[in-house]
Amino acid sequence: MQVINPATGERAETVEEHDASDVQDALERSTAAYEEWRERPIREREELLAAAGDVLRENEREYAETMTREMGKPISQALAEIEKCAWVCDHYAQHGSAYLEADSHPSPPGSDVETVYDPLGPILAVMPWNFPFWQVFRFAAPHLTSGNVGLLKHASNVPGCAQAIEDVFREAGYPEDVFQSLLIPSDLVDDIIEDERVKAATVTGSGPAGRAVASTAGDQLKKSVLELGGSDPFVVLDDADIEDAAETGAWARNQNGGQSCIAGKRFLVHTDVYDEFLERFVAEVESLTVGDPMDVDTDVGPQAREDLMETLHEQVEASVEAGARVLTGGEPMDRDGAFYPPTVLADVPEGCPADSEETFGPVAAVYEIDDADGLLAKANDTELGLGASVWTTDRARGQRLAREIDAGCVYINQLVKSDPRVPFGGVKESGYGRELAREGMLEFVNRKTVWTE
């Protein structure tokens, strides 16, 4: 695996891949580790997870710099990501036992009926590069604590992150092989899912990746959870706080270089406030600092890879050719590295890439819409359904609209985020299943009914 620093275009490191033989050895070790790990008292597993949170905080600068070097995340955001990973460890260390408590059910006199939650075994996690620590920890924290063991197939451009995460669990005192990183190409994933020792799979990534994993897992009658991206609407109603909406919207679109499934991507603005919002929004976008991701003052770093930036620019060019108007940005930056400026498109025609495809980078599409019904229709005019953001000073109005938006989560007067305390996931082609909170923890357990007379 060739690690290319996206801020410079230079090779940072070469990492040797694992081969099919290495995978077989890992699966054998994983199975053996599970037999011991599943018997560990839940309190011991929680204590080890708390220790993992401590390891993350103790080494946060090292881990953040690895992240920034491999995929270009600005260092301040990388540090925040490590802190968030420590938080999810804290959360399940504190609440894991409660989440896994048995549920009692009505039963005849003299009998006792409950549902207990047992682990499944080795779980494969196929994870993306955009949040290379957080995506993994929001899988590992709940599911290792429930008694499963983890196998990570990380994105090929962040092998240092994959190795560092394995080291976190080792340094925290986890038994050997409870969590393993497999540095493998994607063409070995199907074989792993088909192996009888692997009991379930989860993937965060593109639609094609999710469909491939779901197809193989389904053929093997194995559970899968998919989180597959979004084209999130950012709905600005006529009574919104425009200053707040514009400031938050600029960040919702551009944090992490715009490379986020839950970024605000389609800005749907009521005609009564459209001009004011657009003026403020463009000003906020233009105020963001693009530069060296190792600089703490940088807001937007490079795109993670040169080819990803090229694909993004092709989407912008095709949208402009179809009639979209560039208000700021719109061209790759004249400097070393895969830098693309924060970009705003207006007058976006229906069916162009900025309208109908997920733009995975700092490109915002802004629409002027006459009424609330039109805003709702446009919000739902997508095959994806991950998140949505609604802006209004009337909280009850926002809640009513939220119930009508086809998405896995809707945030009112806030950007969309994932939080350990609440379930996260999508509908439609954004996938199925949930991560985080109790609902996420129970995705990979055997919900076993126990009837006692």
Side-chain angles (χ1 to χ4, degrees):
M1 294 181 178
Q2 302 294 327
V3 178
I4 306 298
N5 186 330
T8 64
E10 298 175 353
R11 186 173 66 185
E13 189 178 6
T14 300
V15 179
E16 185 174 352
E17 288 185 345
H18 294 138
D19 59 21
S21 176
D22 296 323
V23 169
Q24 289 301 311
D25 289 343
L27 290 173
E28 192 65 28
R29 296 195 307 272
S30 183
T31 303
Y34 171 66
E35 293 305 319
E36 184 274 334
W37 180 243
R38 66 182 301 184
E39 300 301 328
R40 282 284 188 104
I42 179 65
R43 187 62 197 137
E44 290 185 18
R45 297 198 296 259
E46 289 173 325
E47 289 170 352
L48 286 169
L49 187 61
D54 293 339
V55 172
L56 285 162
R57 292 188 175 99
E58 290 164 5
N59 300 284
E60 65 176 13
R61 184 75 193 190
E62 175 190 344
Y63 299 148
E65 288 183 355
T66 299
M67 207 184 310
T68 298
R69 183 171 57 253
E70 291 192 330
M71 56 72 62
K73 187 187 302 288
I75 190 66
S76 59
Q77 296 169 42
L79 289 165
E81 182 168 332
I82 299 301
E83 281 292 330
K84 191 170 184 179
C85 293
W87 177 29
V88 81
C89 291
D90 295 344
H91 180 79
Y92 284 100
Q94 181 179 355
H95 299 288
S97 295
Y99 287 162
L100 292 173
E101 283 185 357
D103 291 323
S104 296
H105 305 286
S107 59
S111 64
D112 181 69
V113 182
E114 62 182 7
T115 298
V116 299
Y117 302 103
D118 295 339
L120 297 179
I123 311 295
L124 175 66
V126 181
M127 293 289 120
W129 48 262
N130 58 331
F131 291 93
F133 273 72
W134 169 243
Q135 303 279 15
V136 177
F137 273 89
R138 77 184 193 191
F139 154 76
H143 299 306
L144 298 188
T145 305
S146 66
N148 296 300
V149 297
L151 296 159
L152 169 65
K153 188 283 183 219
H154 218 325
S156 60
N157 59 328
V158 290
C161 292
Q163 292 171 320
I165 293 167
E166 184 176 292
D167 289 342
V168 169
F169 290 109
R170 183 179 296 112
E171 290 184 31
Y174 277 71
E176 200 73 20
D177 303 321
V178 166
F179 182 92
Q180 298 180 68
S181 288
L182 305 177
L183 304 181
I184 57 172
S186 296
D187 58 12
L188 292 182
V189 168
D190 280 353
D191 290 342
I192 296 174
I193 298 173
E194 290 172 351
D195 193 290
E196 64 180 9
R197 291 168 290 189
V198 173
K199 304 305 180 184
T202 181
V203 59
T204 298
S206 68
R211 289 176 185 277
V213 167
S215 176
T216 304
D219 186 62
Q220 300 297 314
L221 297 180
K222 295 179 180 180
K223 179 71 179 289
S224 61
V225 170
L226 310 180
E227 195 267 273
L228 305 179
S231 184
D232 287 11
F234 190 101
V235 181
V236 183
L237 297 174
D238 53 346
D239 62 348
D241 180 331
I242 299 304
E243 182 177 358
D244 191 16
E247 181 179 356
T248 305
W251 190 240
R253 173 62 279 197
N254 291 288
Q255 66 173 321
N256 201 43
Q259 300 164 123
S260 172
C261 299
I262 54 174
K265 298 188 174 86
R266 297 177 299 131
F267 291 77
L268 317 180
V269 186
H270 194 286
T271 189
D272 289 352
V273 294
Y274 176 79
D275 291 338
E276 181 185 359
F277 174 84
L278 192 60
E279 181 180 358
R280 288 182 179 271
F281 181 63
V282 171
E284 291 288 347
V285 167
E286 291 180 337
S287 73
L288 298 172
T289 299
V290 182
D292 180 359
M294 287 294 185
D295 187 333
V296 294
D297 293 325
T298 293
D299 297 311
V300 179
Q303 300 297 278
R305 299 196 312 261
E306 185 78 23
D307 63 305
L308 297 172
M309 184 195 71
E310 292 171 353
T311 297
L312 179 68
H313 186 51
E314 289 171 1
Q315 290 176 302
V316 170
E317 287 185 311
S319 299
V320 171
E321 185 175 333
R325 181 164 53 98
V326 177
L327 302 185
T328 189
E331 291 286 344
M333 299 181 74
D334 186 16
R335 57 180 296 169
D336 291 337
F339 286 89
Y340 203 85
T343 296
V344 178
L345 302 178
D347 303 330
V348 178
E350 184 175 350
C352 75
D355 175 68
S356 61
E357 300 174 7
E358 180 178 22
T359 50
F360 212 66
V363 176
V366 187
Y367 301 78
E368 180 178 3
I369 298 176
D370 290 340
D371 55 37
D373 288 342
L375 290 166
L376 175 62
K378 189 62 180 176
N380 288 332
D381 184 24
T382 173
E383 295 177 342
L384 300 168
L386 189 54
S389 184
V390 175
W391 291 78
T392 174
T393 54
D394 184 338
R395 292 161 60 97
R397 183 187 186 195
Q399 290 169 346
R400 289 194 299 271
L401 183 60
R403 295 297 298 271
E404 298 185 72
I405 292 177
D406 297 331
C409 55
V410 180
Y411 282 72
I412 300 168
N413 299 325
Q414 181 58 272
L415 53 78
V416 179
K417 62 183 76 173
S418 56
D419 182 306
R421 298 166 294 189
V422 296
F424 178 82
V427 296
K428 301 193 287 188
E429 294 194 14
S430 287
Y432 53 73
R434 290 295 179 265
E435 298 175 294
L436 301 174
R438 185 175 194 249
E439 289 84 348
M441 194 173 199
L442 298 186
E443 287 285 4
F444 293 131
V445 295
N446 175 16
R447 307 180 186 207
K448 182 189 297 180
T449 298
V450 177
W451 185 303
T452 306
E453 287 289 343

